[in-house]
């Protein structure tokens, strides 16, 4: 069964291909991904590697955790499975007033896109 590893402390110059090549010394790498910022495209300094078996993943942890890669000391550990994103209340969201947004700040009466006051006032504003 495949095991996913979290890799932290990556250099901003590290690529997914370089990560795959570095981890291939410990076994069969199914996937290697460096996480990038969606707007700038720059690396965020961490990534994920999926190894073919749990034994290979443990081998990678024991051999590569704390080692230097692309000039930085990296952290290698088992990845926590991502929780379900939908559902469950958000902090402060179950209170009257919409979680601290105040009058006109949320999507209720007096605010949001449906209020008729999206980005421009309906009447000219004198400055």
């Amino acid at each position: 069964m495949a095991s996913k590893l979290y890799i932290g402390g990556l250099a901003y110059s590290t690529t997914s291909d370089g990560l795959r090549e570095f981890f291939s010394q410990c076994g069969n790498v199914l996937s290697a991904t460096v996480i990038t910022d969606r707007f700038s495209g720059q690396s965020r300094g961490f990534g994920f590697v999926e190894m073919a078996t749990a034994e290979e993943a443990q081998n990678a942890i024991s051999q590569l955790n704390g080692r230097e890669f692309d000039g930085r000391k990296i952290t290698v550990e088992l990845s926590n499975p991502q929780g379900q994103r939908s559902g469950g209340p958000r902090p402060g969201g179950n209170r009257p007033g919409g979680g601290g947004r105040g009058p006109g700040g949320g999507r209720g009466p007096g605010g949001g896109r449906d209020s008729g006051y999206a980005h421009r006032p309906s009447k000219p504003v004198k400055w």
Side-chain angles (χ1 to χ4, degrees):
M1 186 171 138
S3 291
K4 198 168 200 177
L5 299 172
Y6 165 81
I7 318 302
L10 293 175
Y12 293 126
S13 61
T14 300
T15 63
S16 295
D17 289 336
L19 195 61
R20 174 187 291 274
E21 186 177 320
F22 185 68
F23 275 80
S24 66
Q25 63 185 313
C26 297
N28 187 18
V29 177
L30 299 179
S31 66
T33 307
V34 173
I35 304 302
T36 57
D37 182 77
R38 75 174 70 175
F39 299 110
S40 70
Q42 182 179 355
S43 168
R44 295 190 58 199
F46 69 95
F48 296 95
V49 172
E50 191 172 11
M51 303 297 285
T53 65
E55 293 81 26
E56 290 174 339
Q58 285 300 326
N59 189 26
I61 292 170
S62 64
Q63 285 187 20
L64 304 179
N65 187 32
R67 280 203 32 206
E68 193 170 301
F69 176 55
D70 283 348
R72 302 264 324 233
K73 189 179 277 192
I74 61 169
T75 302
V76 181
E77 55 192 39
L78 279 175
S79 175
N80 294 329
Q82 188 173 7
Q84 191 175 8
R85 288 187 175 234
S86 62
R90 291 186 172 203
N94 285 341
R95 297 187 192 115
R101 291 184 182 212
R107 292 262 174 126
R113 293 183 185 162
D114 301 328
S115 69
Y117 184 82
H119 296 291
R120 298 182 264 134
S122 57
K123 297 180 182 177
V125 176
K126 293 184 180 180
W127 296 98

